[in-house]
Amino acid sequence: MSHTTLLALDGLTCGHCVKRVKEALEQRQDVQQAEVSLNEARVTGDAAAEALIATVEQAGYHASQQDNARPKPEPLTASESQLAADNPSIPAQADAAAGHSSFSPQAAAADSAALATQADEAAENYQLLIDGMSCASCVSRVEKALAQVAGVQQARVNLAERSALVIGSPQPQALVAAVTAAGYGAEVIGDESERREKQQSSARQAMRRFSWQSALALALGVPLMVYGLFGDNMMLTTSNRSGWLVIGALTLLVMVVAGGHFYRSAWRSLLNRSATMDTLVALGTLAAWLYSISVNLWPDFFPAAARHLYYEASAMIIGLINLGHALEQRARQRSSKALERLLDLTPATARVVTADGEKTVALSEVQLGMVLRLATGDRVPVDGAITEGEAWLDESMLTGEPLPLQKSAGAALHAGTLVQDGSVLFRANAIGKNTTLSRIIQLVRQAQSSKPAIGQLADRISAVFVPVVVTIALFSAAVWYFFGPQPSLVYMLVIATTVLIIACPCALGLATPMSIIAGVGRAAEFGVLVRDADALQRASELDTLVFDKTGTLTQGAPQVTQIVTFNGFSEAEVLRWAAALEQGSSHPLAKAIRDRAGEMALPESSQFRTLRGMGVSAQLEGQPMLLGNAALLAQQQIGAEQAASLADEQAANGATPVFLAVAGQLAGLLAIRDPLRKESVSALQRLHGLGYQLIMLTGDNEITANAIAREAGLDRVIAGVLPDGKAAAIKQLQQAGHKVAMVGDGINDAPALAQADVGIAMGGGSDVAIETAAITLMRHDLHSVVDALAIAKATLRNMKQNLLGAFIYNALAIPVAAGVLWPLTGTLLSPVIAGAAMALSSITVVSNANRLLRYQPPGA
């Protein structure tokens, strides 16, 4: 019997996730319909809840059954609706010029629901600084601990930054308790500024600690190693026994002081019945020291050939690994520079205007509705609207546009932008985490904490990696003890210690997050906001780019591109009369004519009439005038033969011809069109050069669309399509085997953006655009599309290099450490060399990821 099952969903972050879950559910034969949002699914059919949950899990997300249905998300609030209405990238007017509207209630409803849901989710984000993590195994353990806390929807742990981002509505104390119970330290951070301050302080302290610990251990280990190479070969004799006992005590002191954190972490892991990188280090160094001290104390129990001491190995391994951590810490600090620069845009104080005068207050004290003053050189502290005054503002941090904008009363201001000249009063409309800049910072933070599908492979391996390595070490030691040459006890110790040390999964744990942090940060510097790492991976696999026409390829507003006069009339007369006839009209074509007329003095009209579907008529300056299309002139029997060929030519080029007749004579022809953005052709040429198929998808008529496509150099046109039809067109391309990105304005293209493999919103810095797509371009410039795709490919390439390097390192290092080269070379890998190799592998991964910080997209 058919029934409806309500599932709570976890892990969905964008429209692509929604689409993936919906398709997975509807592919089941026992499912009739599935309505999916970011946080729940309403499934109608015969399927059992357990089967549906399993399907969602197979799609890569999490689900649980809900007993009571939650209300659907409310539509946009009044402020959100106004914000959407004020968004300059809405191209409905321009499409109306061609007789079509690119906005539909369905698209608005889809976008409103997505915005409401996202806003609901984004309202409860918790940042934690995690202490004690050392490898990918630690990440897995902390994530599991956080995920089990009541109210947690999603937990993302970042090894590279030693931090966690938790989405949901848990109790902060419960989060800290869960991490503590897992064997680590945690602290909840209130905002980005506090996080940065504490993280930087922690990083500096860690680097100093690792540096002196490394120096202490190497100060003992290096002389011992040199003495072993050129002295008595580290063999215990009756004459040097007392001296080596002193060295053994000193080594133990160094292990406790310089390497105590390894042993404490290993002990906590043991109590939690798990194992990490620190477990391997602790086992290896303790095994070497215990063997050496046993030989030192009870030499008679060991054959003469087995009385080799390995104090230097314990000291050198601790010294080298601490040195690696110090260098890695310093390199990691560079990776978040982009985010730090965003944080630096927010001023610490603001000038509030009250009845008693002006006073400077901390930014945290600014409240909604307060009136604030800005002067030349100030950075805007919060979002708001100007109430008095005029100023020029540099908004390049949001839009990428280098030229300052003049703003006066009623204009919107965004936090972080710079007042270049002037002074204004403005009212605070959004504060704290609700400002545009804060939302951008939060988006970058979430993306840097996310994991792509390729990165999840490392997580799965790391979950079993350490126990497997311990097993390999024990098995190798047993083989060498029973079948190896004499002294077998010594060979067994060397093999076990070397395998344990060289196999530490530091590089594996850092491979993905370091690339993501650097790549997402570099993208932000180019004005490209990435919602999550999965979007970067999908963007690197695209072969087809689909563009909305109006406002994306074109400027988004019709303009008068040509005026041709006839029968002795001047261009100024034709323009002045046409603008006068269009006074008071809200039609996009009328606005284009008025804009072209500018500040001209326009005559008053009388006997004004609207001629439906054809144009308008009126008396101007004592003469009857008509303004409209060719059908209007034909109806009034006004000859337009001399302009017919020109009108046809303009129409073929995508322009709308508008005729002006004065006293029964043709006076002029105005060609009106929505011209291409100035960078469209060059940006599309760059994309063609990179091998992408370029398609235009528009609701405009085919003639206009083809004209624009020829001018822009597109491969294909799909015209006359409404917003819901756009999503269907994207789906057809996907069914043909293409990986598709949809590039639109982020509002009226919501269905197509959600359907595409990657939705790319031309944002212009608006809040609405930031919330809609997997990738948002803060600069309304098609070159940003090229930059975004190039950075996505570079990031994935870097990630693959890191993962491949980490896998190859472990795949080759472990067998070599186990002694497979002994039959060929007669030598074994030293535990000291193993420690150096392990530290070097981590440094190599971090350094390779930091190359992304200097990456320049081709042609940029």
Side-chain angles (χ1 to χ4, degrees):
M1 180 180 293
S2 178
H3 59 275
T4 298
T5 304
L6 192 63
L7 301 177
L9 301 179
D10 182 22
L12 283 70
T13 58
C14 63
H16 182 81
C17 303
V18 172
K19 178 170 71 77
R20 189 187 301 178
V21 172
K22 180 178 174 66
E23 289 177 348
L25 290 170
E26 290 186 341
Q27 283 173 0
R28 295 182 58 93
Q29 293 183 352
D30 50 6
V31 170
Q32 299 171 5
Q33 184 182 9
E35 297 177 11
V36 182
S37 68
L38 286 169
N39 56 8
E40 72 176 26
R42 189 181 299 271
V43 186
T44 303
D46 303 328
E50 294 77 11
L52 296 175
I53 291 172
T55 300
V56 175
E57 297 283 346
Q58 288 172 2
Y61 305 95
H62 302 293
S64 59
Q65 186 174 6
Q66 282 188 207
D67 295 328
N68 299 315
R70 290 180 292 178
K72 291 185 178 181
E74 293 296 326
L76 287 174
T77 63
S79 61
E80 289 170 323
S81 299
Q82 183 60 41
L83 197 152
D86 292 341
N87 181 13
S89 64
I90 300 177
Q93 286 187 339
D95 272 354
H100 295 278
S101 172
S102 60
F103 182 81
S104 77
Q106 295 93 328
D111 226 41
S112 298
L115 281 171
T117 308
Q118 278 288 13
D120 180 61
E121 288 193 346
E124 307 234 33
N125 287 344
Y126 298 87
Q127 294 184 57
L128 287 82
L129 291 184
I130 310 295
D131 183 41
M133 292 195 303
S134 59
C135 66
S137 298
C138 302
V139 171
S140 178
R141 203 157 94 224
V142 174
E143 279 186 347
K144 287 180 180 177
L146 290 171
Q148 291 171 359
V149 176
V152 172
Q153 296 176 11
Q154 192 174 10
R156 298 172 177 175
V157 178
N158 192 314
L159 174 64
E161 288 201 326
R162 307 302 198 261
S163 66
L165 178 68
V166 178
I167 301 172
S169 54
Q171 293 295 322
Q173 299 86 348
L175 297 175
V176 173
V179 175
T180 303
Y184 302 91
E187 181 182 4
V188 178
I189 302 300
D191 57 39
E192 280 293 336
S193 298
E194 183 185 2
R195 178 205 62 79
R196 175 174 64 164
E197 183 180 341
K198 291 195 174 182
Q199 205 163 29
Q200 287 179 342
S201 174
S202 175
R204 287 192 295 268
Q205 291 176 3
M207 192 161 63
R208 286 196 296 267
R209 185 180 73 250
F210 286 134
S211 297
W212 73 254
Q213 287 175 338
S214 171
L216 177 63
L218 293 177
L220 176 65
V222 171
L224 283 179
M225 189 172 67
V226 172
Y227 179 74
L229 291 173
F230 304 105
D232 66 358
N233 207 24
M234 310 290 282
M235 295 297 293
L236 183 75
T237 62
T238 305
S239 60
N240 63 17
R241 183 181 176 189
S242 298
W244 281 117
L245 275 173
V246 174
I247 297 297
L250 286 175
T251 303
L252 179 60
L253 181 63
V254 165
M255 290 168 65
V256 172
V257 175
H261 55 95
F262 294 121
Y263 306 106
R264 288 191 295 272
S265 176
W267 178 250
R268 287 195 300 266
S269 299
L270 180 63
L271 294 178
N272 285 280
R273 291 177 291 183
S274 62
T276 67
M277 179 205 93
D278 292 338
T279 305
L280 301 181
V281 175
L283 286 174
T285 53
L286 270 176
W289 185 83
L290 287 172
Y291 178 86
S292 300
I293 199 69
S294 298
V295 170
N296 220 155
L297 292 173
W298 305 289
D300 294 338
F301 285 96
F302 297 86
R307 296 174 186 173
H308 193 287
L309 303 176
Y310 292 95
Y311 293 130
E312 95 288 357
S314 297
M316 285 295 293
I317 288 167
I318 288 174
L320 288 171
I321 294 177
N322 277 326
L323 178 61
H325 283 338
L327 295 175
E328 173 194 314
Q329 192 78 37
R330 186 160 65 177
R332 273 210 319 267
Q333 285 179 296
R334 295 180 52 214
S335 62
S336 288
K337 287 285 179 67
L339 193 61
E340 307 306 328
R341 280 192 283 269
L342 285 175
L343 288 167
D344 288 336
L345 294 174
T346 306
T349 61
R351 285 199 297 274
V352 177
V353 179
T354 66
D356 300 326
E358 295 182 17
K359 63 177 180 178
T360 300
V361 301
L363 185 62
S364 59
E365 296 178 26
V366 175
Q367 301 294 320
L368 287 175
M370 280 186 172
V371 176
L372 298 93
R373 180 178 294 281
L374 293 171
T376 300
D378 288 346
R379 283 204 179 272
V380 181
V382 295
D383 288 2
I386 296 177
T387 58
E388 182 182 323
E390 188 176 90
W392 290 84
L393 281 103
D394 176 2
E395 296 191 334
S396 57
M397 50 74 63
L398 276 181
T399 65
E401 298 295 336
L403 297 177
L405 298 175
Q406 185 178 18
K407 296 201 172 189
S408 55
L413 297 178
H414 297 288
T417 55
L418 177 67
V419 180
Q420 285 200 343
D421 188 27
S423 176
V424 296
L425 297 179
F426 78 100
R427 190 177 305 279
N429 293 338
I431 60 175
K433 66 181 180 181
N434 295 318
T435 66
T436 300
L437 180 61
S438 294
R439 290 157 73 88
I440 291 171
I441 291 170
Q442 185 61 27
L443 194 66
V444 173
R445 167 66 57 202
Q446 289 186 18
Q448 289 185 334
S449 300
S450 64
K451 295 175 185 175
I454 189 174
Q456 294 169 9
L457 175 64
D459 290 347
R460 289 194 292 270
I461 291 175
S462 64
V464 297
F465 188 83
V466 174
V468 168
V469 167
V470 173
T471 302
I472 291 173
L474 293 175
F475 177 77
S476 302
V479 169
W480 278 87
Y481 182 77
F482 291 109
F483 304 105
Q486 292 298 323
S488 58
L489 199 61
V490 171
Y491 284 116
M492 177 191 75
L493 174 71
V494 170
I495 292 296
T497 302
T498 306
V499 169
L500 289 171
I501 296 301
I502 206 167
C504 289
C506 299
L508 195 62
L510 290 169
T512 300
M514 285 306 308
S515 296
I516 292 298
I517 288 173
V520 169
R522 186 58 171 163
E525 290 181 338
F526 277 86
V528 177
L529 298 182
V530 181
R531 183 167 295 283
D532 57 36
D534 202 32
L536 275 181
Q537 181 170 344
R538 296 196 307 273
S540 70
E541 300 165 351
L542 298 170
D543 57 51
T544 301
L545 305 180
V546 178
F547 296 87
D548 174 46
K549 178 179 76 69
T550 307
T552 300
L553 292 171
T554 66
Q555 293 185 14
Q559 298 178 10
V560 177
T561 57
Q562 188 178 7
I563 300 176
V564 182
T565 62
F566 302 94
N567 299 317
F569 292 96
S570 70
E571 182 176 317
E573 286 177 320
V574 169
L575 181 58
R576 189 167 66 92
W577 288 332
L581 286 166
E582 294 289 17
Q583 285 189 87
S585 173
S586 60
H587 195 282
L589 299 183
K591 184 178 184 301
I593 294 172
R594 292 197 306 271
D595 288 345
R596 178 66 179 264
E599 301 297 325
M600 279 185 172
L602 304 180
E604 292 293 327
S605 63
S606 61
Q607 301 179 26
F608 183 87
R609 290 178 58 207
T610 298
L611 306 172
R612 188 171 182 81
M614 291 187 289
V616 297
S617 69
Q619 287 279 340
L620 284 177
E621 298 180 339
Q623 300 185 80
M625 297 190 186
L626 297 169
L627 183 70
N629 55 25
L632 175 61
L633 269 62
Q635 185 197 60
Q636 299 296 321
Q637 298 181 351
I638 297 174
E641 294 80 7
Q642 53 191 319
S645 60
L646 179 60
D648 291 341
E649 180 184 335
Q650 293 290 348
N653 289 329
T656 301
V658 177
F659 299 91
L660 175 69
V662 178
Q665 277 189 306
L666 179 64
L669 181 150
L670 297 88
I672 303 175
R673 65 175 297 195
D674 182 9
L676 281 173
R677 300 182 66 83
K678 59 183 179 181
E679 80 285 350
S680 289
V681 174
S682 58
L684 294 175
Q685 286 174 345
R686 286 178 66 192
L687 290 168
H688 261 139
L690 296 173
Y692 293 104
Q693 177 188 197
L694 308 180
I695 298 175
M696 183 168 71
L697 183 60
T698 179
D700 211 339
N701 66 72
E702 196 165 341
I703 294 175
T704 302
N706 282 321
I708 293 291
R710 283 194 303 271
E711 186 179 350
L714 295 164
D715 299 314
R716 183 180 165 193
V717 174
I718 304 174
V721 183
L722 295 176
D724 291 341
K726 289 182 178 182
I730 297 288
K731 192 170 186 178
Q732 287 179 354
L733 290 169
Q734 292 170 325
Q735 290 171 345
H738 295 292
K739 298 289 187 181
V740 184
M742 174 68 192
V743 185
D745 63 30
I747 297 181
N748 67 322
D749 294 310
L753 288 167
Q755 176 64 42
D757 294 285
V758 178
I760 302 178
M762 303 287 288
S766 70
D767 289 351
V768 177
I770 293 170
E771 295 289 357
T772 51
I775 295 177
T776 300
L777 308 178
M778 300 307 295
R779 290 181 293 145
H780 210 115
D781 183 336
L782 283 179
H783 284 291
S784 294
V785 177
V786 195
D787 297 340
L789 298 181
I791 291 171
K793 283 192 170 184
T795 303
L796 193 75
R797 184 167 58 246
N798 189 275
M799 207 181 307
K800 287 179 176 178
Q801 290 168 353
N802 280 346
L803 283 172
L804 184 63
F807 283 133
I808 290 177
Y809 164 79
N810 283 298
L812 295 178
I814 292 176
V816 169
V820 296
L821 297 180
W822 170 267
L824 300 176
T825 63
T827 58
L828 294 176
L829 192 66
S830 164
V832 175
I833 301 300
M838 191 275 285
L840 185 62
S841 69
S842 299
I843 297 169
T844 302
V845 163
V846 174
S847 300
N848 185 55
N850 279 342
R851 289 192 306 114
L852 286 171
L853 300 175
R854 300 183 299 276
Y855 177 76
Q856 286 291 333

